Amino acid sequence: MKKVINVLFLLFFFLTISIFANAATLALSPSSGSQTSGSTFSVNILLDTQSVAIDGVDIVYLNYNPLLLEVQDEDSGTTGVQISAGNLLASTLANSVDTTNGRIQFSQTSSGGTTFNGSGTLATVRFRVASTGTASVTFDFTLG
């Protein structure tokens, strides 16, 4: 009998725009799923600027339970563990995974005075199911 882990991704939003603008959002896709122990699966971090031009995005932090999930390294040529960066913005300034505490930090900015206005995949996290249980993946969020 295969062991199954239920993975629950809580959808939280993350404001990145000034007080007077519509708020950009970050979401996870898929938002939930059921995975077999030992399997790997990908979760996209989706950005939607809500029609407002932005020049950067900071994720401090995307949290997960490291006893249940392991982030798979997407850049073996760089020290540490990194996720797969999307190409919505030109420069990736931070891309690190704290595998002990289950925290992902990711940051991208535009360059040369350009901005981004739209939606798409900011980054992708590839998880391996380490143990059975119910795991939540959540953004830290601080208003403003």
Side-chain angles (χ1 to χ4, degrees):
M1 173 186 268
K2 292 184 178 180
K3 294 182 180 178
V4 175
I5 181 172
N6 291 317
V7 181
L8 172 66
F9 300 106
L10 301 177
L11 294 180
F12 286 87
F13 59 95
F14 186 80
L15 301 177
T16 59
I17 309 301
S18 72
I19 295 170
F20 302 107
N22 291 333
T25 60
L26 291 173
L28 301 174
S29 178
S31 61
S32 66
S34 182
Q35 304 293 327
T36 304
S37 183
S39 67
T40 60
F41 63 98
S42 295
V43 176
N44 293 320
I45 302 171
L46 305 177
L47 169 67
D48 185 349
T49 69
Q50 304 290 319
S51 301
V52 175
I54 64 166
D55 59 10
V57 176
D58 296 311
I59 298 174
V60 184
Y61 297 96
L62 181 63
N63 303 288
Y64 66 95
N65 184 335
L67 299 175
L68 300 176
L69 299 172
E70 296 173 353
V71 174
Q72 302 301 288
D73 188 17
E74 299 297 344
D75 186 357
S76 60
T78 302
T79 302
V81 176
Q82 292 80 39
I83 64 174
S84 178
N87 58 6
L88 297 180
L89 298 161
S91 299
T92 300
L93 303 179
N95 184 352
S96 64
V97 179
D98 177 344
T99 58
T100 301
N101 295 307
R103 298 188 322 180
I104 299 169
Q105 183 172 4
F106 185 82
S107 179
Q108 276 191 336
T109 63
S110 59
S111 64
T114 63
T115 59
F116 175 76
N117 180 354
S119 61
T121 301
L122 180 67
T124 301
V125 183
R126 191 166 47 98
F127 289 107
R128 180 185 163 285
V129 179
S131 185
T132 60
T134 300
S136 295
V137 178
T138 60
F139 293 103
D140 279 349
F141 173 73
T142 303
L143 184 61

